[in-house]
């Protein structure tokens, strides 16, 4: 059985918007999964269900072999396994200093003393938030807030990291730093799930892709296969990655791997 298993999950908001419609998905440990789809297709709603902030009304959700139910103690346990970095860091940050914000979840989970110190050092190093630790979060730039939000989730040491649009509004350098964090997490064999509109990044980075539309999964598979499928891209309102567009323009019939090798020469 996979680490995360969703079977026919449907989720409706109180105003009766059906945000997720019969979602089935398996995620293995160590996977790099990207979720794409136009605005309102259900990406954030899916993440909110995966981390237990929302609970699907129908379907089964199994994490590490345990079925999740709508109970408080299950939810606290789930938070420790599946960490969610909000799309908007403003929603996530609330403490009076960066340091307090980052340590909040870890302290709540019972971490203290030397363990807490070591954990804080590690995550602040990884997210380059050391020099910000005494600052009030509301005075930070957007990119800095994003880093603090990631640090707070990492401090809880979840197995699975959900990052909802981690690159939105970031400049090039901040984006590179965030990608470096993703790479380090992958090296630690963490499972990483991101939602993004950056199709070029998805093509290079992900080993599994989920394409959503109107609360449904339109397609799932390897990005190199799905992102070549013009009918799927049209239906999902997505652009073809630049490298594939270029390859088509040059009228090369080679595989994308060959194209990458060609561009490197
Ligand atoms: N709190 C809410 N109450 C009611 N409806 C909501 C709520 N949050 C989202 N929705 C609706 O659920 C659907 C899915 O929204 P969701 O935010 O999951 O999409 P998304 O793919 O993350 O979009 P985006 O790319 O804009 O972030 C949309 O129709 C949206 O209007
Ligand atoms: Mg969203």
């Amino acid at each position: 059985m996979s680490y995360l298993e969703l079977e026919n999950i449907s989720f409706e908001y109180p105003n009766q918007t059906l945000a997720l419609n019969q979602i089935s998905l398996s995620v293995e440990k160590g996977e790099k999964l990207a979720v794409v789809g136009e605005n309102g297709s259900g990406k954030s709603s899916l993440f909110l269900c995966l981390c237990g902030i929302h609970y699907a009304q129908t379907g089964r959700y199994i994490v590490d072999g345990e079925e999740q139910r709508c109970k408080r103690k299950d939810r606290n346990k789930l938070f420790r396994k599946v960490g969610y970095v909000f799309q908007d860091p403003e929603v996530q940050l609330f403490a009076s200093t960066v340091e307090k914000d980052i340590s909040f979840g870890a302290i709540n989970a019972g971490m203290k003393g030397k363990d807490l110190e070591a954990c804080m050092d590690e995550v602040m190093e990884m997210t380059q938030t050391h020099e910000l630790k005494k600052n009030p979060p509301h005075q930070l730039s957007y990119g800095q807030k994003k880093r603090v939000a990631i640090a707070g989730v990492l401090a809880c040491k979840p197995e699975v990291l959900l990052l909802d649009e981690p690159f939105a509004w970031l400049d090039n350098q901040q984006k590179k730093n965030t990608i470096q964090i993703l790479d380090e997490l992958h090296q630690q064999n963490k499972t990483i799930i991101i939602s993004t509109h950056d199709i070029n990044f998805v093509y290079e980075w992900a080993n599994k892709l989920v394409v959503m539309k109107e609360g449904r999964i339109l397609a799932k598979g390897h990005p190199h296969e799905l992102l070549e499928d013009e009918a799927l891209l049209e239906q999902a309102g997505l652009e073809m990655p630049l490298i594939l567009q270029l390859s088509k323009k040059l009228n090369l019939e080679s595989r994308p791997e060959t194209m990458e090798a060609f561009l490197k020469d």
Side-chain angles (χ1 to χ4, degrees), residues 39-40 42-45 84 87 164-165 195 197:
N39 293 136
K43 304 179 295 296
S44 296
S45 303
Y84 176 56
Q87 181 167 346
D164 204 350
E165 306 210 10
S195 81
H197 294 283

Side-chain angles (χ1 to χ4, degrees), residues 88-99 101 132-146 148-149:
D88 179 0
E90 305 278 354
V91 179
Q92 196 177 323
L93 307 179
F94 65 94
S96 56
T97 67
V98 163
E99 197 173 30
D101 214 299
L132 305 172
K133 67 182 184 185
K134 299 290 176 212
N135 296 25
H138 68 270
Q139 285 178 4
L140 303 178
S141 78
Y142 185 83
Q144 291 167 334
K145 282 180 188 162
K146 277 270 204 195
V148 173

Side-chain angles (χ1 to χ4, degrees), residues 74-144:
D74 283 356
R75 185 170 293 193
N76 289 341
K77 214 165 143 191
L78 181 58
F79 281 161
R80 272 174 240 151
K81 290 184 173 169
V82 183
Y84 176 56
V85 183
F86 280 75
Q87 181 167 346
D88 179 0
E90 305 278 354
V91 179
Q92 196 177 323
L93 307 179
F94 65 94
S96 56
T97 67
V98 163
E99 197 173 30
K100 283 185 186 157
D101 214 299
I102 297 177
S103 61
F104 178 82
I107 291 173
N108 243 8
M111 207 185 284
K112 54 186 178 214
K114 291 253 175 295
D115 286 347
L116 181 64
E117 250 174 60
C119 172
M120 288 292 286
D121 268 346
E122 188 191 330
V123 298
M124 287 196 293
E125 173 77 35
M126 202 163 165
T127 53
Q128 299 173 22
T129 45
H130 258 301
E131 73 278 18
L132 305 172
K133 67 182 184 185
K134 299 290 176 212
N135 296 25
H138 68 270
Q139 285 178 4
L140 303 178
S141 78
Y142 185 83
Q144 291 167 334

Side-chain angles (χ1 to χ4, degrees), residues 11-20 36-48 54 87 164-165 195 197 212 215:
F11 172 72
E12 194 178 87
Y13 283 102
N15 69 357
Q16 296 185 335
T17 302
L18 183 60
L20 299 176
V36 299
E38 53 201 13
N39 293 136
S41 57
K43 304 179 295 296
S44 296
S45 303
L46 175 63
F47 283 17
L48 289 163
H54 291 334
Q87 181 167 346
D164 204 350
E165 306 210 10
S195 81
H197 294 283
M212 293 189 70

